[in-house]
Amino acid sequence: MKTVYIRTIGRLPEPWQREAESMYSARLKPFTKLEIVELPEGQKGSAKPNAEATKKAEAASLLRGVRDDAVVVALDETGTEMNSVAFSKNLSEWSGRRPVIFLIGGSWGLHQDVKKRANVSLSFGIMTLPHGLARIVLLEQLYRACMIEAGKTYHK
């Protein structure tokens, strides 16, 4: 697997979240290069009257510089659920010759512009996750996918 890109709205506010990100990033190093880009929240916050404008601004930020040939995977609660083995298989196929870019929206979710551009919409379940926690779950699943592909015992 080549480089995996994660473009995400917002920073990880809690020390335990940054520790988890650091741990999984280190675990992924033998398998893939990881690039995480944190982008600012649109409209400097998440006031409800500005939700659509916020999502639109965040979409422009998330999509800026995304190559046309990239496989874009949007994390969205309405996306397709898959088990870890299927995710590993798909990730291997996606990363064949094209960059794989995961997009994580802000507190209001993803704008339609992101959903339209995405090649894949991926859900970790129907419950809403804070975007920081979704990032950690993604990192863990990326590591698990690498271990599955390598035939290691991490995955049970």
Side-chain angles (χ1 to χ4, degrees):
M1 187 182 332
K2 300 176 184 176
T3 304
V4 171
Y5 301 89
I6 299 173
R7 295 180 60 84
T8 180
I9 299 298
R11 299 188 183 278
L12 294 176
E14 301 294 329
W16 68 267
Q17 293 172 321
R18 292 188 297 274
E19 275 182 43
E21 179 181 74
S22 179
M23 178 188 71
Y24 284 114
S25 295
R27 287 183 181 186
L28 281 163
K29 277 187 181 179
F31 301 101
T32 187
K33 184 177 178 193
L34 178 68
E35 287 189 26
I36 299 173
V37 177
E38 293 179 330
L39 301 161
E41 279 191 87
Q43 307 297 324
K44 305 269 190 248
S46 56
K48 191 164 189 157
N50 294 322
E52 198 58 31
T54 297
K55 290 189 332 184
K56 180 83 170 163
E58 291 171 350
S61 188
L62 283 168
L63 295 172
R64 190 171 295 120
V66 170
R67 292 174 29 181
D68 289 341
D69 68 336
V71 176
V72 174
V73 182
L75 297 189
D76 185 66
E77 65 191 21
T78 64
T80 301
E81 293 182 44
M82 57 182 82
N83 65 31
S84 297
V85 173
F87 179 67
S88 177
K89 181 179 181 232
N90 281 307
L91 185 61
S92 180
E93 290 173 11
W94 298 334
S95 64
R97 285 182 241 141
R98 304 186 316 173
V100 178
I101 304 171
F102 290 89
L103 302 179
I104 304 172
S107 59
W108 290 109
L110 294 171
H111 189 268
Q112 287 301 322
D113 291 349
V114 173
K115 293 178 183 186
K116 285 178 189 172
R117 170 56 184 92
N119 301 92
V120 179
S121 183
L122 178 66
S123 173
F124 292 140
I126 60 173
M127 291 182 164
T128 302
L129 296 176
H131 53 277
L133 187 54
R135 185 184 337 179
I136 294 166
V137 172
L138 173 60
L139 289 168
E140 192 280 335
Q141 287 298 303
L142 287 169
Y143 177 65
R144 185 175 296 271
C146 290
M147 296 299 281
I148 290 168
E149 187 174 4
K152 304 286 184 178
T153 60
Y154 177 79
H155 176 69
K156 290 152 182 83

